[in-house]
Amino acid sequence: MIDISHQQKQFEVIPTLVRPTLVEALKSRVRTAAAVAATESDQLPQVQTLGVAEMLEARLNSFDPASDDAEAECAFYVADLGEVYRQHLRWKALLPRIEPFFAMKCNPDPMVLRLLASLGTGFDCASKNEIQSILDLGVDPTRIIYANPCKQNAFVKYAHTNNVRMMTFDNAEELHKIKRFHPNAQLVLRILTDDSKSLCKLGLKFGAPLDTVEGLLATARELDLDVIGVSFHVGSGCFDAQAFGEAVIRARRVFDQAIEYGYEFKFLDVGGGFPSAHVKEGITFEKVALILGQTVERLFGPEVRVIAEPGRYYVGSAFTLATQVIARRTIQSVTATAAASEDKDGNRGEDEEEVKHMYYINDGMYGSFNCIMFDHQICEPKVLFRDGEFSYDAHYMQDMQQEQGGLASVWGPTCDSIDCITSKTRLPLLESGDWMYFENMGAYTITAASQFNGFKRSEVLYTTTEKEVTYHF
Ligand SMILES: Cc1ncc(COP(=O)(O)O)c(C=O)c1O
């Protein structure tokens, strides 16, 4: 077990509730949702010690049908901090040499940040606000890398004032900016790598092509800047473990080139792109760790410090979203049927089965499901509550889905027709007031959610399925 005795003092100890009081606690939580969810306040939300299913059930049971509280039946997340903890242990076991700097852009949830700060990870920050929220947790500035190659002047000044020295760059103009506002920064050259095997191709925007590296090193030398090493990002949602190995080989080349310019690099940042825990086949963390770990070991001596910027890896599987069915439309006319079963490009196979029901739920594309658009995700609804019964992880649902419901589409709550979560799925017949849930909703969801049409971001309830986590708050 990790020694956290030195860190515990920084954080308030949160009492965990025992089961019989949970429904009461959640009831009062519903009434004061806004206040309790106020993460900036000194009061931290409570962390329960229940399974995800129990949390979901308790929350549904806590609703008072007689209440006219409009907030009461909003969509909500259950975050299992135990899952974040397990991912951390897995990282430590499989990539012991590589220090994780959590890419908080992926999910800046305050409890996740606190837990990871307490576990001793570093943080990859992309802006002044992100840096500030980590410093506010009492994290030392040396545990932050400002990993945005194109930074606002004022943000560079802020990093300088607050002793955040590590930052990335990939162009000459940025070097001049840094010389002006943060001349003693420790610079990390972000190079371009092959991101063609990734869902999100970050190379379209960032990364110095290898034929520009020498020019950049020459400029840095002229400006007398301290370049300490190399970073890369194989792209988020990478589906080829080899991409990590090939990127490390490229980085080695740049280490060698740097010597000519008087730089002896001692720092390698292997970026993000690591798969989250739910991935069971294809690219698994085990495969990535094997290739990455071996390549780093082969090409870099122990004098080189190696860090990574995992985002999705830590949080993807830790968040489950529950949404209520707020309306159902049964398709009557052929025209409506046709429209409802069209895919996003308006295509519709002639002999395909038609969508029978359109379900509208209380979180959507402009909220948590922005991951469909921005992160290329496919979100699969499962039934959580139907016919007055809780049905989390119910295998019998499979048959029922075939028999009773038929094809359905699922839509978010806004007035925009782009707000579609899935245009074709199989669900049993559901009514308004029933619930669906979506697993693996921790990465690039809540962080980019808007309040378009006046719909609030879904709040987060916390639990941990690992007891050790409670010592970290
Ligand atoms: C610079 C940087 N580092 C790390 C990450 C995290 O990537 P992932 O969530 O795929 O691990 C991102 C994601 O966009 C990024 O831009």
Side-chain angles (χ1 to χ4, degrees):
M1 203 177 118
I2 295 157
D3 174 20
I4 49 135
S5 48
H6 59 291
Q7 289 147 341
Q8 273 183 18
K9 290 189 203 85
Q10 290 177 25
F11 304 108
E12 185 186 343
V13 175
I14 302 179
T16 52
L17 294 173
V18 288
R19 182 139 202 230
T21 60
L22 181 65
V23 169
E24 275 315 305
L26 290 177
K27 266 187 185 158
S28 70
R29 193 185 169 91
V30 170
R31 284 193 292 274
T32 59
V36 178
T39 51
E40 276 82 30
S41 81
D42 289 341
Q43 236 197 329
L44 294 176
Q46 288 171 323
V47 181
Q48 314 295 336
T49 52
L50 298 171
V52 172
E54 288 171 293
M55 285 292 289
L56 290 164
E57 186 168 14
R59 175 59 184 255
L60 297 193
N61 287 340
S62 74
F63 293 139
D64 177 1
S67 161
D68 55 3
D69 180 358
E71 303 297 316
E73 295 183 8
C74 289
F76 65 94
Y77 284 94
V78 170
D80 176 10
L81 297 173
E83 180 72 356
V84 178
Y85 180 70
R86 280 191 292 276
Q87 285 295 86
H88 183 67
L89 297 186
R90 197 172 164 212
W91 184 286
K92 289 284 175 200
L94 296 180
L95 283 176
R97 178 171 171 187
I98 303 182
E99 300 169 43
F101 277 51
F102 176 59
M104 63 178 291
K105 60 179 76 70
C106 176
N107 187 337
D109 179 275
M111 299 300 274
V112 169
L113 297 183
R114 278 186 164 81
L115 173 61
L116 292 177
S118 168
L119 288 167
T121 71
F123 292 90
D124 152 11
C125 300
S127 64
K128 172 181 178 283
N129 278 352
E130 286 197 349
I131 294 172
Q132 192 171 2
S133 57
I134 297 304
L135 293 175
D136 286 350
L137 289 175
V139 172
D140 194 89
T142 56
R143 281 167 59 193
I144 294 175
I145 182 162
Y146 188 177
N148 187 339
C150 296
K151 299 169 276 299
Q152 192 171 320
N153 290 349
F155 291 7
V156 180
K157 283 190 225 167
Y158 178 82
H160 180 247
T161 311
N162 289 279
N163 299 319
V164 173
R165 291 183 67 197
M166 287 195 288
M167 54 182 64
T168 60
F169 75 100
D170 66 0
N171 64 83
E173 287 78 357
E174 195 73 2
L175 285 174
H176 288 280
K177 181 192 296 171
I178 292 167
K179 175 71 185 174
R180 196 163 155 218
F181 298 115
H182 199 340
N184 63 345
Q186 297 175 319
L187 297 176
V188 181
L189 171 53
R190 175 150 163 194
I191 58 167
L192 186 62
T193 55
D194 178 10
D195 62 4
S196 60
K197 313 276 174 46
S198 296
L199 291 176
C200 306
K201 300 184 194 332
L202 303 174
L204 289 172
K205 189 170 178 187
F206 295 122
L210 287 196
D211 59 2
T212 66
V213 160
E214 295 211 355
L216 290 172
L217 292 171
T219 306
R221 177 47 68 211
E222 270 166 39
L223 294 172
D224 196 24
L225 288 168
D226 182 15
V227 186
I228 61 168
V230 173
S231 78
F232 60 78
H233 197 306
V234 296
S236 194
C238 180
F239 45 84
D240 178 14
Q242 293 296 346
F244 287 87
E246 282 157 22
V248 173
I249 293 169
R250 275 188 184 217
R252 178 67 251 177
R253 240 181 276 157
V254 178
F255 267 62
D256 296 338
Q257 283 175 308
I259 294 169
E260 266 184 56
Y261 297 87
Y263 289 112
E264 203 182 329
F265 287 170
K266 293 266 169 36
F267 186 88
L268 174 66
D269 174 357
V270 299
F274 300 88
S276 76
H278 76 278
V279 176
K280 299 281 183 291
E281 52 192 41
I283 183 180
T284 59
F285 181 61
E286 281 68 17
K287 278 187 197 160
V288 172
L290 188 67
I291 291 172
L292 180 61
Q294 282 178 352
T295 319
V296 165
E297 237 20 88
R298 185 162 56 84
L299 299 179
F300 294 92
E303 72 287 357
V304 176
R305 179 184 184 196
V306 189
I307 74 158
E309 301 164 0
R312 185 189 312 279
Y313 168 82
Y314 268 101
V315 287
S317 55
F319 285 62
T320 300
L321 178 68
T323 62
Q324 194 184 49
V325 176
I326 55 171
R328 182 189 75 200
R329 189 137 69 108
T330 302
I331 308 291
Q332 307 290 354
S333 71
V334 174
T335 325
T337 311
S341 63
E342 278 171 2
D343 67 17
K344 287 198 184 88
D345 301 321
N347 302 317
R348 179 172 165 258
E350 278 308 308
D351 50 358
E352 281 181 26
E353 188 184 338
E354 287 166 357
V355 165
K356 281 195 200 139
H357 297 106
M358 297 168 72
Y359 293 107
Y360 301 79
I361 61 175
N362 53 359
D363 197 346
M365 184 79 105
Y366 286 93
S368 302
F369 295 98
N370 70 81
C371 60
I372 296 170
M373 185 168 285
F374 296 143
D375 196 33
H376 312 282
Q377 295 299 305
I378 294 168
C379 298
E380 189 198 339
K382 294 185 176 174
V383 176
L384 182 62
F385 186 85
R386 175 181 178 270
D387 261 353
E389 282 194 24
F390 182 74
S391 62
Y392 181 83
D393 207 12
H395 299 297
Y396 71 90
M397 274 291 170
Q398 213 99 52
D399 300 336
M400 202 155 59
Q401 282 172 219
Q402 310 283 340
E403 285 165 21
Q404 295 184 11
L407 275 187
S409 53
V410 181
W411 304 78
T414 68
C415 296
D416 190 346
S417 61
I418 202 176
D419 193 0
C420 179
I421 288 138
T422 172
S423 57
K424 255 179 209 167
T425 189
R426 219 162 262 287
L427 285 167
L429 191 63
L430 298 170
E431 308 286 341
S432 287
D434 287 345
W435 287 77
M436 297 177 186
Y437 71 102
F438 298 81
E439 293 167 308
N440 305 310
M441 289 293 287
Y444 305 104
T445 50
I446 200 165
T447 182
S450 77
Q451 304 205 48
F452 185 52
N453 279 211
F455 293 102
K456 288 190 180 160
R457 286 185 200 96
S458 298
E459 77 158 316
V460 183
L461 305 179
Y462 298 93
T463 190
T464 174
T465 49
E466 297 289 340
K467 240 196 351 245
E468 285 80 355
V469 165
T470 55
Y471 309 136
H472 290 262
F473 294 103

